[in-house]
């Protein structure tokens, strides 16, 4: 999968706010993701994102 800053990734599990979609803010060994539902930001290992990603699309 092609992860780039500014893309939206849909993950397998939903955030407690109910959103499945996250915007990629930083790419590297760790990703910084921002929830599109509540704007919460997290740092998550690349391996975890690659494993749980279902879809990647451009931001609307």
């Amino acid at each position: 999968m092609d992860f780039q800053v500014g893309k939206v990734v849909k993950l397998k599990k939903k955030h407690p706010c109910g959103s499945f979609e996250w915007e990629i803010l930083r790419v590297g060994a760790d990703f910084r993701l921002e929830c599109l539902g509540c704007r919460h930001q997290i740092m998550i290992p690349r391996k975890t994102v690659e494993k749980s990603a279902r879809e990647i699309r451009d931001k609307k």
Side-chain angles (χ1 to χ4, degrees):
M1 290 190 163
D2 185 29
F3 297 103
Q4 295 178 357
V5 174
K7 298 255 183 170
V8 173
V9 63
K10 184 174 183 180
L11 299 181
K12 182 176 14 177
K13 290 188 176 180
K14 68 179 169 181
H15 191 246
C17 75
S19 177
F20 287 93
E21 296 186 329
W22 297 79
E23 180 180 356
I24 300 172
L25 301 177
R26 178 183 177 279
V27 177
D30 293 325
F31 284 12
R32 179 176 297 281
L33 302 178
E34 181 178 63
C35 176
L36 293 180
C38 66
R39 296 304 200 200
H40 181 77
Q41 291 186 9
I42 60 169
M43 290 289 285
I44 187 168
R46 173 184 280 272
K47 190 170 187 173
T48 305
V49 174
E50 289 175 344
K51 188 172 134 185
S52 65
R54 295 293 171 240
E55 175 185 337
I56 299 175
R57 63 174 175 81
D58 291 329
K59 191 172 182 181
K60 291 180 183 174

